[in-house]
């Protein structure tokens, strides 16, 4: 990885290398003293895949386990009951 030191101007602007010209960038704050600048890969909205296209089907074992739990759910634990009460109290 190539590291280069640059200085910002009075308005905190930074001049990036020419390879970043007309590019969309992602600026990540890694720490209090470190920023990471990356070129973003922009994908047109109509090229985004549907969630259904990338979902992996359940294995037979996982499907059977899921259906068994739907038909005969386990009894709620004390922690789950407590969390449900907190949730209900917050929702009014």
């Amino acid at each position: 990885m190539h590291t280069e030191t640059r200085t910002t101007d009075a308005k905190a602007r930074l001049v990036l290398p020419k390879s970043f010209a007309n590019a969309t960038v992602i600026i990540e704050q890694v720490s209090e003293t470190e920023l990471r600048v990356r070129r973003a890969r922009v994908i047109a909205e109509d090229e985004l895949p549907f969630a259904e296209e990338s979902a992996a089907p359940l294995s037979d074992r996982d499907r059977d386990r899921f259906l068994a739990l739907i038909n005969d759910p386990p009894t709620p634990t004390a922690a789950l009951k407590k969390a449900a009460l907190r949730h209900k109290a917050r929702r009014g």
Side-chain angles (χ1 to χ4, degrees):
M1 178 191 305
H2 175 71
T3 302
E4 191 172 323
T5 303
R6 302 254 174 157
T7 305
T8 59
D9 65 10
K11 293 185 178 181
R13 294 179 294 199
L14 177 67
V15 177
L16 296 173
K18 287 195 184 284
S19 63
F20 281 87
N22 298 316
T24 301
V25 296
I26 298 170
I27 302 172
E28 285 180 88
Q29 184 163 3
V30 178
S31 69
E32 218 27 62
T33 59
E34 184 178 356
L35 293 174
R36 182 176 297 140
V37 179
R38 297 184 293 149
R39 189 173 300 117
R41 186 171 149 236
V42 180
I43 301 172
E45 188 174 350
D46 59 342
E47 293 178 15
L48 290 174
F50 288 105
E52 295 84 5
E53 293 173 349
S54 61
L58 292 175
S59 67
D60 290 343
R61 188 192 81 181
D62 291 342
R63 182 204 58 228
D64 293 344
R65 174 83 173 130
F66 176 77
L67 293 174
L69 288 170
I70 294 290
N71 288 332
D72 186 24
T75 56
T77 63
L80 179 60
K81 289 178 184 178
K82 187 176 176 181
L85 288 174
R86 282 194 316 267
H87 177 72
K88 187 176 181 180
R90 272 191 244 137
R91 293 200 52 130

